[in-house]
Amino acid sequence: MKRLMMMTALLMAVTVKAQGPMILGDNHAMLRVKQGTKYLLLPVQEKEENANIAVLDIRNEMVQRLNVRLAVDKVDYFVPFEIRNGQLLDITFHADKRTTGAMKDFVCWKEMKYSDTFDTTNRERFRPRYHHTPLYGWMNDPNGMFYKDGVWHLYYQYNPYGSQWENMSWGHSTSRDLIHWDAQPLAIESDWLGAIFSGSAIVDKDHTTGFGRNAVVAMYTSAGAAQTQSIAYSTDGGQTFTKYAGNPVITFNAPDFRDPKVFWHEPTSKWMVVLAVGQEVQFYSSKNLKEWKYESSFGREYGNHDGVWECPDMLCFGEKWVLLLNINPGGPFGGSATQYFVGRFDGHTFTCEDNPSETKWMDYGKDHYATVTFHNAPEGRIVALPWMSNWQYANQVPTQQFRSANGLPRDLGIKTIGGETILTCIPSKEVMALRGKKVKQPTEACEIVIDMKSSTDIVLSNAKGEQVTMHYDAQKQEFKMDRTKSGDVSFSEAFPCETAAPTFGSIKQLRLFIDRCSIEAFDAEGKMVMTNLVFPSEPYNTIKVKGGKTTIYQLDK
């Protein structure tokens, strides 16, 4: 509290009200930017439409373009616009003035302020205790993840100018243990090729690209009038990037052509990239990440095709490969989800061993999407990180300072059961370091370990009567989770639901990870995982288990 008061006092001490706008019409205004302070704090009202802001420099040339839901009659929160070379904001509103009133009276003009600081102290009761979140703003897909010199780098789709999807760029966080994350400056911003959509990054240890030995090279989708693939390189370990002058490096005549995942194919000594293209994936090869050759396509007759394919990844498990493929919509319980395919890859073609009509889901919860893996993970591990939300309601969940978290990091493997190869997921070993003392009742941040005897019923609840019920049916080999009475479910008709998963045999031990707004259920052997958001009005503090022995650990970050 003392730290919060000091930060608030500092903020008030340096905050200066902005001067009024130049009104140029019913929906057009300009604002001269005062120099000498770091930020202009922009007031946001989420129910309003985006205002388009062109940032002009001293020569009146446009250097940046933003879309911000500027407040009309109520301020939900502020976002910082960093004053660099911007001198003039050219602002166009799109709302109907018959419903919003005269533009000169908008509350945003009265509330804009200059400041040398921006207070990121947590104001959200649903901000997770031990899951990664952005300090503020919107986050979706994890991007460009790699490990280098003892540091895990996580980039992500980021909107620094509001807590809903817009202004896509790459945010950046770093960690030494996959649990404690430090926010870093914005890594890659949009340019005239387009917004910065999802992609990947590699550590070029053999100097194949010409950008320097151990340079970090990011490949991402430039989303403008068309979706094309671009690269950028970093010689300071991934802190800052320089965009390649020859961008774009791959183009194709398709409206949905995105999310490049780069990987090294050792037998052919080539870089490969897998791209999502409508409802298939395409493979390209390269010696230097600059010139690319089309190799093959896969997927038109395989798996789920109820939505657009996105965010692919290729995982090598010896002779077998697993293609991760995210889809939206088309998930088993509506909205977005992650499917996968098992097969072989020879550097040219992916050959799937699954039945074409079969769909294998990586996670049977409602809130697991855009899952990709870290490049260069230590000890030969394959470590994945999902986005913990669903496109059906991601923009509406009951937070405002930030929206969305990542799920727990998870180590991936494969296992053959009944002649079928499945992908396994277990919480990464770094999660074990969170375990604190044993407690008798659940807390807002805990791990619940249940040793199952046979079929098991689990009820997690609080004093408000809110509850999440789970049931394991040993005979049917099925696990279910019902969140219809879990707390606030009012923000979307798609949110209250029951999810169900096959267990591929018996569950001997179930691990439940509870955080302020999420429940992740793992079979201890990795055969089943289920990730669901919850928004209880107060933490769940009671658990009843029929058919199992329960141990609860407090999780200390």
Side-chain angles (χ1 to χ4, degrees):
M1 181 61 71
K2 182 177 180 181
R3 179 172 175 265
L4 174 60
M5 293 174 64
M6 290 176 64
M7 291 183 68
T8 304
L10 177 62
L11 185 67
M12 294 174 62
V14 298
T15 299
V16 178
K17 186 175 180 180
Q19 293 182 345
M22 297 173 277
I23 304 297
L24 304 176
D26 289 342
N27 66 347
H28 186 202
M30 288 185 176
L31 184 72
R32 185 71 61 185
V33 178
K34 177 185 175 182
Q35 304 300 303
T37 51
K38 187 172 183 179
Y39 300 116
L40 173 63
L41 303 182
L42 301 175
V44 173
Q45 186 175 5
E46 287 197 340
K47 75 176 183 65
E48 295 301 329
E49 294 187 34
N50 276 313
N52 303 130
I53 304 176
V55 182
L56 310 181
D57 65 12
I58 196 169
R59 296 171 296 179
N60 288 330
E61 294 181 358
M62 184 164 59
V63 294
Q64 195 175 4
R65 215 167 18 199
L66 313 175
N67 293 317
V68 183
R69 298 175 184 270
L70 290 176
V72 170
D73 51 34
K74 174 181 176 292
V75 179
D76 290 328
Y77 51 84
F78 291 87
V79 293
F81 168 71
E82 187 174 355
I83 300 169
R84 288 176 286 190
N85 53 358
Q87 299 283 330
L88 186 67
L89 304 185
D90 190 323
I91 306 171
T92 302
F93 290 87
H94 295 284
D96 189 338
K97 73 172 186 177
R98 290 173 296 181
T99 58
T100 59
M103 186 178 60
K104 67 179 179 63
D105 297 325
F106 287 178
V107 72
C108 60
W109 311 125
K110 302 173 186 176
E111 296 296 331
M112 282 185 189
K113 300 177 178 68
Y114 291 100
S115 176
D116 285 320
T117 62
F118 180 65
D119 186 3
T120 59
T121 305
N122 180 40
R123 301 187 297 274
E124 298 282 355
R125 64 189 176 98
F126 288 129
R127 185 184 286 273
R129 288 274 301 275
Y130 58 92
H131 289 76
H132 171 262
T133 60
L135 285 179
Y136 64 93
W138 164 273
M139 178 185 76
N140 56 292
D141 306 357
N143 296 159
M145 303 188 302
F146 69 92
Y147 177 86
K148 185 177 185 293
D149 300 329
V151 178
W152 301 85
H153 290 258
L154 163 63
Y155 303 87
Y156 49 87
Q157 291 285 276
Y158 184 46
N159 178 15
Y161 302 110
S163 296
Q164 294 178 321
W165 187 95
E166 194 60 66
N167 304 304
M168 285 294 97
S169 54
W170 276 22
H172 184 200
S173 295
T174 56
S175 174
R176 290 192 172 272
D177 62 3
L178 283 174
I179 300 298
H180 301 84
W181 293 93
D182 295 321
Q184 302 294 339
L186 199 64
I188 305 179
E189 296 184 77
S190 62
D191 53 35
W192 306 124
L193 288 177
I196 311 301
F197 275 17
S198 293
S200 54
I202 59 92
V203 179
D204 185 15
K205 62 182 180 180
D206 294 324
H207 191 43
T208 62
T209 61
F211 297 133
R213 190 170 299 277
N214 291 316
V216 176
V217 184
M219 190 173 190
Y220 56 89
T221 297
S222 295
Q227 294 185 356
T228 59
Q229 314 315 314
S230 297
I231 60 175
Y233 62 94
S234 171
T235 57
D236 59 5
Q239 291 301 121
T240 60
F241 285 86
T242 300
K243 292 172 181 172
Y244 175 53
N247 285 335
V249 294
I250 308 179
T251 62
F252 187 72
N253 183 21
D256 297 306
F257 179 61
R258 57 178 175 263
D259 308 339
K261 181 58 190 276
V262 178
F263 60 99
W264 179 255
H265 188 252
E266 186 66 36
T268 57
S269 297
K270 292 186 298 187
W271 291 109
M272 305 295 305
V273 67
V274 56
L275 281 152
V277 188
Q279 291 198 337
E280 67 175 17
V281 297
Q282 293 181 355
F283 295 95
Y284 294 78
S285 64
S286 175
K287 291 290 187 180
N288 59 12
L289 300 185
K290 301 171 185 175
E291 291 88 27
W292 291 89
K293 175 189 174 185
Y294 169 80
E295 294 287 351
S296 63
S297 300
F298 167 79
R300 286 204 170 270
E301 297 179 355
Y302 283 82
N304 187 295
H305 288 270
D306 291 341
V308 175
W309 285 17
E310 297 184 311
C311 302
D313 199 350
M314 285 288 285
L315 319 177
C316 180
F317 298 95
E319 293 185 355
K320 290 199 176 186
W321 289 73
V322 172
L323 168 63
L324 295 186
L325 201 287
N326 294 272
I327 185 170
N328 177 46
F333 306 101
S336 42
T338 307
Q339 61 181 322
Y340 68 93
F341 306 90
V342 180
R344 296 178 184 270
F345 182 69
D346 62 4
H348 304 281
T349 304
F350 177 74
T351 304
C352 186
E353 69 180 40
D354 301 323
N355 188 310
S357 63
E358 180 182 13
T359 299
K360 291 180 173 178
W361 298 109
M362 183 178 181
D363 186 302
Y364 281 82
K366 185 91 170 179
D367 298 297
H368 175 279
Y369 192 58
T371 306
V372 288
T373 59
F374 284 88
H375 166 75
N376 202 41
E379 303 168 342
R381 297 164 60 192
I382 298 179
V383 181
L385 203 65
W387 175 49
M388 195 163 59
S389 196
N390 189 303
W391 278 115
Q392 288 184 322
Y393 43 73
N395 281 285
Q396 287 82 44
V397 296
T399 62
Q400 284 192 333
Q401 182 186 30
F402 79 103
R403 276 199 178 89
S404 298
N406 290 109
L408 281 179
R410 46 203 73 188
D411 279 34
L412 308 184
I414 56 173
K415 183 173 291 191
T416 300
I417 298 176
E420 182 177 12
T421 301
I422 66 167
L423 184 69
T424 61
C425 304
I426 60 173
S428 296
K429 63 182 182 180
E430 289 82 358
V431 177
M432 288 294 292
L434 284 171
R435 277 190 180 179
K437 64 182 180 180
K438 293 182 181 180
V439 293
K440 294 183 178 180
Q441 298 296 336
T443 66
E444 67 176 10
C446 65
E447 178 188 358
I448 303 173
V449 179
I450 303 173
D451 294 310
M452 314 284 247
K453 296 179 180 178
S454 57
S455 296
T456 306
D457 291 300
I458 305 164
V459 180
L460 193 63
S461 62
N462 61 22
K464 299 289 186 180
E466 298 163 344
Q467 64 180 29
V468 177
T469 61
M470 290 161 266
H471 175 68
Y472 166 57
D473 189 318
Q475 184 175 1
K476 292 183 179 179
Q477 298 185 24
E478 183 181 59
F479 179 82
K480 291 183 177 181
M481 186 185 302
D482 185 341
R483 70 175 182 194
T484 55
K485 300 177 181 179
S486 58
D488 185 359
V489 299
S490 64
F491 53 88
S492 169
E493 292 181 355
F495 189 80
C497 67
E498 180 182 68
T499 55
T503 62
F504 299 100
S506 63
I507 296 181
K508 298 176 182 177
Q509 187 180 80
L510 183 71
R511 299 176 67 187
L512 298 175
F513 290 88
I514 315 298
D515 210 338
R516 285 173 171 166
C517 66
S518 62
I519 299 175
E520 291 161 286
F522 289 85
D523 164 34
E525 297 179 8
K527 303 187 305 298
M528 184 280 302
V529 60
M530 183 178 289
T531 303
N532 282 319
L533 292 175
V534 289
F535 297 97
S537 58
E538 62 182 47
Y540 305 121
N541 58 4
T542 301
I543 187 169
K544 295 181 180 179
V545 177
K546 180 181 178 182
K549 179 183 177 183
T550 304
T551 307
I552 305 174
Y553 298 93
Q554 184 173 310
L555 296 186
D556 301 315
K557 184 171 179 180

